[in-house]
Amino acid sequence: MKLSVVVPCYNEEAVIGRFDATVRTVLDELAVTYELCYVDDGSSDGTLHRLRSIAQQHTTTTRYLSFSRNFGKESAMLAGLREAGGDAVIIMDADLQHPPELIEKMLDLYQLGHDQVVAKRSRDGDKPLRTTLSRLYYRAVNKWVDVELTDGVGDFRLLSRTAVDALTSLPECNRFSKGLFSWIGFDTVTFDYRNAAREAGESKWRFGALLNYGIDGMISFNCRPLRLAIHAGLSLAALATAYTLWIIGAAVVGGVTAPGYVTLVAIVVGLGGLQMVMLGLIGEYIGRIYYESKRRPHFLVKETNGTVPKETPTARSVIGKTH
Ligand code: UDP
Ligand code: MG
């Protein structure tokens, strides 16, 4: 069998050489033919330069491609999955946070017939605030979203050819991989591991980026948040009616006493805020429709030593096939 390892890299100059050497040492000891598929996500440092020299050194076992700009990790993973030719594909971060020693275990589980072998990281070593926020987030999101998202389960996983083909055939523009992995299903097995500290370079996730990623997760999979908005609106309308009746009742019984200025302002501001959130929510869905309707490619390749991976067929050709 042949194994492909897909590695998205964005400004990983400091660590990519060490990553390559470590992974090759591990892979050479295993009885598999392999290829490493590096995707340079428009890095502004010397990552591409490093990749070129790695590819020169190991011509047959290295594929790399480089984006014309930073398209994000989701696009980089997609490009890597399309480029990968193996019977099984492992997705790994370039910063050695995903321990290469686990590849053997993943392959063993794959041999048992699983289509997705998922490494679930423990959160020891993370900041307590981030851990708590993550826990709360996953609890909330699993109430809302149809697919199951698990805390600590990320992109570090092995996918069988069947699973890879399923993923690459999904044409959507807004890709939220954690959800897509879960959505495609197939026989999945999970095991725990301890996340290592980043070897060099720095994390690309700032708080704002994480927040946006979280919002993506909530609305990428269904319209349930819109339903929630309707429920909230209905409850508020019911409350307002009850309150009005109560005020009228009180006025009839005791006459008008308190002017109630503060209450009024609080209600107006509160409702205004809620309306803005709901408009934003609706706008977000419309924005997504807008992006999908443009059918732009997920990434543009500037340089590669392989073939440029094919884009997903357009909606029209897909429809053409099914009718
Ligand atoms: N990455 C990428 N494009 C981006 C951001 C990150 O390809 O726009 C890659 C990065 O090079 C690394 C992986 O995604 O291989 C995970 O990124 P990072 O280590 O910054 O995330 P963290 O481990 O902090 O969640
Ligand atoms: Mg990392």
Side-chain angles (χ1 to χ4, degrees):
M1 70 157 280
K2 184 175 171 189
L3 177 70
S4 303
V5 180
V6 165
V7 193
C9 323
Y10 178 51
N11 292 345
E12 301 289 6
E13 178 184 27
V15 72
I16 196 77
R18 216 178 317 163
F19 171 86
D20 187 74
T22 319
V23 171
R24 275 178 209 278
T25 320
V26 170
L27 288 172
D28 283 336
E29 278 169 16
L30 302 172
V32 283
T33 38
Y34 66 85
E35 63 175 6
L36 289 167
C37 301
Y38 289 101
V39 182
D40 164 38
D41 187 8
S43 302
S44 52
D45 64 355
T47 305
L48 177 59
H49 184 71
R50 294 275 157 99
L51 291 183
R52 280 193 205 117
S53 58
I54 291 173
Q56 258 165 17
Q57 227 178 320
H58 310 275
T59 354
T60 50
T61 51
T62 313
R63 283 157 178 256
Y64 75 90
L65 50 96
S66 174
F67 287 175
S68 59
R69 65 168 173 85
N70 181 243
F71 279 92
K73 188 183 176 189
E74 293 289 343
S75 302
M77 285 196 294
L78 177 67
L81 288 178
R82 286 195 187 145
E83 174 80 2
D87 304 306
V89 179
I90 294 183
I91 307 174
M92 284 177 95
D93 283 0
D95 55 9
L96 287 168
Q97 280 189 303
H98 297 160
E101 306 80 63
L102 294 178
I103 292 178
E104 187 175 5
K105 184 166 185 180
M106 289 179 144
L107 280 175
D108 288 346
L109 288 166
Y110 166 73
Q111 305 286 9
L112 292 178
H114 299 291
D115 283 297
Q116 293 202 56
V117 182
V118 184
K120 177 170 179 276
R121 78 188 186 105
S122 65
R123 286 209 172 264
D124 1 325
D126 269 15
K127 291 194 189 106
L129 180 68
R130 186 164 162 183
T131 312
T132 320
L133 284 179
S134 302
R135 291 239 166 87
L136 286 175
Y137 172 73
Y138 282 102
R139 203 171 295 166
V141 96
N142 279 322
K143 277 219 174 92
W144 281 11
V145 173
D146 289 335
V147 296
E148 176 148 10
L149 302 179
T150 319
D151 189 11
V153 165
D155 306 320
F156 183 27
R157 62 180 66 216
L158 178 145
L159 300 163
S160 70
R161 179 49 40 199
T162 322
V164 172
D165 288 345
L167 277 175
T168 49
S169 70
L170 301 178
E172 63 215 74
C173 271
N174 292 292
R175 295 185 79 84
F176 183 75
S177 285
K178 275 190 187 194
L180 294 181
F181 289 141
S182 170
W183 185 88
I184 59 166
F186 295 115
D187 189 353
T188 305
V189 60
T190 308
F191 67 89
D192 289 299
Y193 77 101
R194 263 191 73 129
N195 209 37
R198 190 173 237 284
E199 283 276 321
E202 55 183 39
S203 173
K204 277 89 204 167
W205 290 103
R206 301 268 170 271
F207 180 74
L210 272 178
L211 184 70
N212 282 335
Y213 186 68
I215 295 175
D216 272 348
M218 292 228 175
I219 51 189
S220 282
F221 280 87
N222 59 25
C223 301
R224 221 177 281 174
L226 283 180
R227 180 57 56 90
L228 209 73
I230 296 174
H231 286 179
L234 285 176
S235 321
L236 273 174
L239 265 178
T241 316
Y243 185 67
T244 316
L245 289 177
W246 183 66
I247 294 280
I248 293 173
V252 168
V253 175
V256 179
T257 46
Y261 176 70
V262 179
T263 326
L264 202 68
V265 171
I267 291 172
V268 169
V269 173
L271 280 183
L274 205 69
Q275 276 172 344
M276 268 206 252
V277 170
M278 284 167 191
L279 272 181
L281 195 63
I282 295 166
E284 190 69 38
Y285 281 103
I286 296 176
R288 267 149 213 263
I289 299 171
Y290 170 64
Y291 274 114
E292 296 295 343
S293 69
K294 285 203 274 199
R295 310 217 61 85
R296 285 204 183 135
H298 296 87
F299 51 82
L300 294 172
V301 176
K302 153 177 94 172
E303 180 183 327
T304 172
N305 71 339
T307 48
V308 175
K310 282 206 187 66
E311 260 299 330
T312 327
T314 61
R316 195 167 295 147
S317 70
V318 171
I319 293 166
K321 254 180 238 161
T322 48
H323 282 261

